[in-house]
Amino acid sequence: MASPWLQLMDDTIRACAAHGTPDLLRRLRERRAQLIDPKLRILVIGETGQGKSQLVNALVNAPVCATGDDLTTTVPAVVEYAEAPSAAVVLNPVVRHDRMLESGPSSQLVPAAVDSVTADANREAAQPGAEIARAHIGLPRALLATGLVLIDTPPAGDAARTATALSEILQADAVLMATDATSEFSPSELELLTQVARVCPTVMVALTKIDIVPGWRVVAERNRARLAKAGLNATVVPVSAALRLAAAKAGDRDLNAESGFEELMHRLKHEWLDQADVLHTRSVAALAGMTVDQLVPPLQDEFSATQRGDSPEAVARWQAAGRKLEQLQQDSARWQTLLGDEISDLIADLEYDLRDRTRQILRDVDEYFDAADPSRDWETFEDWLTDNLATVAETNFNWLLERFDWIAHKLARQVAPGDEDLLHELLVADAPDDHASGVRKPRVERFSVGQKLFVGMRGSYTGLLMFGLATTVAGMPLINPISLGAGAAFGAKSVFEERGNRLKRRQATAKTAAQRHVDDFFLAYGKESKDAARLLQRALRDRFTAYAQQQRQEISASAKAIKQVIDTEAAQRKQRAQEIRTAVNELAAIRQRLKTMAAARITPSSPRGLIA
């Protein structure tokens, strides 16, 4: 059965794979691979001049890490167990095409001398374009044979160096910090320890250079007090690397005990090596806590975003589409009403124009037949009347088309502004049938010779009788020259009057016939004209209705698509919110588990070889 810390690590990796960054996931997986390795990786850190590298040399009793004021560590140096002394420089992997190409060990390791590998690596790494990642040293030491791996890191100090040191701490099981006894912790050292403890809670402080500071005990106690005040659970072990190396060279056990390294190595073995599972538990708890702290805020922000409702832009577009549909409906009712009113006005104006023009023709007819004789001039009159009525029909119809064209374009600017093809091939209508031809000729009474003779005789008889009787009074006979003259005059007058009366009756009959024909024309053409106007009205209405329907369908389809997007986004937000809740709950469960693991404490070993 896997250890609880390993299960927690796997759960953290799964959570990071689902919600974290690739870089963080890669580090977690690398850290998991290191945790299942039986080796215990101890990171040695410290600021410049604190004896960090010399501390590593004293622990392994070999000058493997370069020391000196002019030999500042620039690349990490990894010191671990090997059956025979060996050293190599590890090069950075080659980066090509935006991906890391892992090389084999033979291509990454460059063999080097054990006593100069760190010095050479530090100098070369300081050069521009250097590809050195770290120095690797193998030594046959009992301390290292237990699985202990020491990593000497570049000194902390400024922001860049501190960030580099903290990135290395992510791969450490425990941290050993070097600080010399010449002074108490500096604020930067306390800040570094605070940051280190968040990532790796197993920390020990080596108070170096006690051989040159007589009052180191006071410094040690003050440092312990400052650590306690800062809430940092770190043991302070005073040591002297110079005494340790001198004791090892002379084989002096008392001097070795005085150096403090016996106590330091005792703690490393019993508090760290022998309790590696506790260190792993604490390390995983800290790493899981750091991961959860990085994963939860973005999830909470995303959850807050899912609770803000629909996208304001999409909702605004959907509402705009609804308002456009409503406006389209109102515009449709408005232009239909306007079209009806305009056509009604047009028909009334057309009827008035037709009536006025036909009345003028009738007036001309009256004037014409006041003088003309229908019996002689009817054919000429018929041609004239036909031409004038045809002209009236043509003029009235052209006016209908012009007026309707004006109405159509006026409405088109409201219905479809900017659409010039809307009225294409619409304003075409056939002229009404020709109702101006076929004037019925009236029955004209002819004044024949016999009728003239009869009328003349009747008038002559009257005149003869009237004047004959009158002259008999004078003693003249009934028939005398006067009565005969009078009869002839009366006869001629009767014929002349009868001819005039007959002309007037023919003229009246012609006027009546012409008026009847004009009225028939007015009724027939007026009906045809109104029908043409109605046909044009229906054609325009159908065209506008089809256009409005097309617009309505397009807007409805757009609104439907937007609504589907809104609904889909809402469903996705709801689903994502549920996923985030589940993820946050899982992270909360991880946090609860890591709290229990973070409470794991190292069992302190019994003091041994402490300097009095």
Side-chain angles (χ1 to χ4, degrees):
M1 183 176 179
S3 302
W5 60 263
L6 186 57
Q7 293 179 355
L8 178 62
M9 188 67 179
D10 290 339
D11 292 342
T12 304
I13 289 175
R14 281 192 292 272
C16 185
H19 312 291
T21 62
D23 184 61
L24 180 59
L25 179 62
R26 176 181 59 80
R27 292 185 179 182
L28 289 176
R29 287 174 173 169
E30 291 176 355
R31 182 60 182 144
R32 184 188 186 281
Q34 293 172 350
L35 286 170
I36 60 177
D37 191 335
K39 296 179 181 179
L40 190 70
R41 297 169 60 86
I42 298 178
L43 208 67
V44 182
I45 65 173
E47 295 185 350
T48 304
Q50 301 301 310
K52 171 176 54 64
S53 299
Q54 187 72 349
L55 176 64
V56 176
N57 292 341
L59 282 171
V60 299
N61 193 20
V64 293
C65 295
T67 59
D69 295 339
D70 58 341
L71 294 174
T72 301
T73 304
T74 56
V75 293
V78 180
V79 184
E80 60 182 349
Y81 177 77
E83 294 183 357
S86 62
V89 173
V90 182
L91 302 180
N92 283 318
V94 181
V95 179
R96 292 178 184 171
H97 303 293
D98 298 331
R99 60 177 182 172
M100 193 73 72
L101 302 179
E102 297 293 343
S103 305
S106 60
S107 61
Q108 290 189 10
L109 298 178
V110 179
V114 175
D115 57 351
S116 63
V117 60
T118 56
D120 295 341
N122 289 335
R123 279 194 295 268
E124 292 182 19
Q127 301 300 321
E131 298 180 353
I132 297 177
R134 62 185 180 275
H136 189 278
I137 304 164
L139 293 175
R141 294 292 187 270
L143 177 65
L144 302 178
T146 60
L148 191 71
V149 178
L150 298 174
I151 305 173
D152 184 19
T153 61
D158 56 22
R161 290 181 176 181
T162 301
T164 302
L166 291 176
S167 65
E168 293 291 336
I169 292 171
L170 289 172
Q171 311 301 326
D173 297 306
V175 174
L176 180 61
M177 178 176 175
T179 177
D180 63 33
T182 58
S183 63
E184 302 176 18
F185 284 129
S186 65
S188 60
E189 288 179 316
L190 280 176
E191 177 62 25
L192 176 62
L193 275 174
T194 302
Q195 295 182 28
V196 167
R198 295 185 187 136
V199 181
C200 182
T202 305
V203 181
M204 187 181 297
V205 177
L207 187 65
T208 62
K209 303 181 183 181
I210 62 174
D211 55 303
I212 63 173
V213 181
W216 60 265
R217 291 179 178 83
V218 177
V219 175
E221 289 303 321
R222 289 181 178 176
N223 282 346
R224 291 187 182 99
R226 297 190 69 175
L227 289 173
K229 184 177 180 180
L232 298 172
N233 185 20
T235 303
V236 178
V237 181
V239 294
S240 171
L243 293 179
R244 161 70 171 174
L245 293 175
K249 185 176 181 181
D252 190 341
R253 297 186 63 181
D254 293 337
L255 185 60
N256 184 56
E258 184 179 352
S259 70
F261 274 83
E262 184 176 352
E263 173 64 21
L264 177 61
M265 296 177 68
H266 178 78
R267 289 185 180 275
L268 291 178
K269 181 180 184 305
H270 293 284
E271 294 185 6
W272 286 4
L273 281 170
D274 293 347
Q275 303 182 60
D277 196 64
V278 177
L279 265 65
H280 291 164
T281 300
R282 289 158 57 89
S283 177
V284 169
L287 190 57
M290 182 188 68
T291 303
V292 170
D293 290 342
Q294 292 186 32
L295 296 181
V296 169
L299 288 175
Q300 290 176 339
D301 293 340
E302 186 178 358
F303 181 80
S304 299
T306 62
Q307 304 304 304
R308 294 186 187 127
D310 299 324
S311 170
E313 180 182 355
V315 172
R317 289 167 52 203
W318 181 60
Q319 292 175 346
R323 290 193 296 271
K324 195 171 183 180
L325 275 176
E326 183 179 354
Q327 185 63 40
L328 187 64
Q329 188 68 25
Q330 294 176 357
D331 292 343
S332 179
R334 185 180 301 110
W335 67 254
Q336 289 190 35
T337 301
L338 183 59
L339 176 61
D341 293 343
E342 291 288 350
I343 294 300
S344 297
D345 293 344
L346 173 60
I347 291 176
D349 292 344
L350 287 172
E351 184 176 5
Y352 177 82
D353 178 75
L354 184 62
R355 174 64 70 184
D356 182 65
R357 292 179 186 277
T358 55
R359 281 181 177 274
Q360 182 60 43
I361 289 176
L362 290 177
R363 285 193 291 270
D364 293 341
V365 169
D366 288 342
E367 292 179 0
Y368 179 78
F369 280 117
D370 284 344
D373 185 356
S375 62
R376 294 193 310 269
D377 303 325
W378 180 259
E379 292 181 358
T380 303
F381 166 77
E382 183 178 0
D383 293 339
W384 174 85
L385 181 61
T386 300
D387 292 342
N388 277 268
L389 290 179
T391 301
V392 168
E394 182 180 359
T395 303
N396 188 267
F397 186 74
N398 289 337
W399 189 49
L400 164 64
L401 294 181
E402 292 177 3
R403 177 76 173 273
F404 192 84
D405 180 78
W406 178 82
I407 294 173
H409 283 85
K410 173 184 176 182
L411 293 179
R413 286 191 293 271
Q414 301 181 17
V415 176
D419 191 349
E420 299 180 356
D421 295 333
L422 183 62
L423 301 178
H424 182 63
E425 296 182 355
L426 175 67
L427 304 178
V428 177
D430 296 331
D433 295 336
D434 186 6
H435 298 281
S437 61
V439 183
R440 181 181 298 178
K441 184 176 181 180
R443 292 178 62 85
V444 179
E445 180 183 2
R446 295 184 177 275
F447 197 23
S448 63
V449 176
Q451 290 176 337
K452 292 179 179 180
L453 181 60
F454 176 77
V455 170
M457 290 179 64
R458 185 179 56 188
S460 298
Y461 174 76
T462 304
L464 178 66
L465 183 62
M466 181 185 303
F467 278 88
L469 293 175
T471 56
T472 56
V473 177
M476 297 179 68
L478 180 65
I479 299 174
N480 54 61
I482 295 175
S483 62
L484 289 175
F490 269 80
K493 183 176 182 299
S494 297
V495 172
F496 181 78
E497 287 179 352
E498 182 64 21
R499 185 173 58 187
N501 291 334
R502 285 177 178 270
L503 175 61
K504 285 182 171 47
R505 287 199 298 272
R506 289 196 302 272
Q507 290 174 337
T509 301
K511 290 179 181 179
T512 302
Q515 183 174 5
R516 185 180 300 113
H517 178 72
V518 171
D519 289 341
D520 292 341
F521 166 82
F522 177 83
L523 291 175
Y525 176 79
K527 176 65 169 56
E528 295 290 341
S529 177
K530 292 177 182 178
D531 290 344
R534 295 297 184 188
L535 287 174
L536 289 173
Q537 176 188 10
R538 294 187 186 99
L540 184 62
R541 181 197 62 196
D542 294 343
R543 180 68 60 86
F544 285 172
T545 302
Y547 177 82
Q549 182 64 24
Q550 180 183 359
Q551 294 292 330
R552 189 177 297 106
Q553 290 175 353
E554 292 177 357
I555 297 172
S556 298
S558 176
K560 184 178 180 181
I562 296 172
K563 189 63 170 63
Q564 288 178 347
V565 170
I566 293 174
D567 293 342
T568 301
E569 290 179 351
Q572 291 175 348
R573 286 197 306 272
K574 184 177 180 181
Q575 180 180 358
R576 183 55 183 161
Q578 184 60 39
E579 293 174 354
I580 294 174
R581 288 193 191 98
T582 303
V584 171
N585 291 336
E586 292 175 353
L587 293 175
I590 292 176
R591 190 187 295 276
Q592 189 63 34
R593 290 163 59 191
L594 68 85
K595 285 182 180 179
T596 303
M597 293 185 179
R601 292 290 181 265
I602 298 174
T603 303
S605 62
S606 57
R608 179 179 178 181
L610 293 176
I611 300 174

